Amino acid sequence: MIPVVRDLYKRLLLVGRAYPAGLDHVRERAKREFLERRDLTSEADIRKAVGYGRYMLREMEGVIQLKKYRTLKARGYDGPARP
């Protein structure tokens, strides 16, 4: 396996721990996507697929941050005190 691809898979699983749908959901989706693209051979296609994976990773991180923000707001957090 190409090191960049393996690193992307590991990062997806690491971020998946905090994902609202759960690690199992992320693992199933990542596995399915990686298996669909296992026959890619040209470097350009692999780079394109890795770029898409990185985009999805950033989107997942954004969803996690939004969930954390909404949780804080629901608990009554109003932000830092202003002088």
Side-chain angles (χ1 to χ4, degrees):
M1 182 182 281
I2 300 172
V4 175
V5 175
R6 183 176 49 238
D7 181 54
L8 177 63
Y9 188 76
K10 287 181 179 180
R11 288 175 58 196
L12 283 168
L13 293 182
L14 184 66
V15 170
R17 293 180 188 174
Y19 193 68
L23 180 60
D24 291 333
H25 173 76
V26 173
R27 185 181 293 126
E28 288 173 14
R29 289 287 310 266
K31 187 175 181 180
R32 184 173 61 222
E33 293 292 330
F34 275 76
L35 288 176
E36 285 178 6
R37 291 169 174 79
R38 69 179 167 212
D39 296 330
L40 296 179
T41 54
S42 78
E43 185 145 342
D45 289 341
I46 293 172
R47 260 190 271 125
K48 186 177 178 183
V50 168
Y52 176 73
R54 288 179 178 161
Y55 165 76
M56 291 308 298
L57 187 65
R58 288 191 306 270
E59 289 293 316
M60 287 172 57
E61 289 170 345
V63 169
I64 292 166
Q65 291 298 321
L66 181 63
K67 180 180 183 255
K68 288 179 181 179
Y69 171 77
R70 286 182 176 169
T71 301
L72 283 175
K73 289 298 279 186
R75 291 180 184 168
Y77 174 76
D78 293 327
R82 296 185 181 184

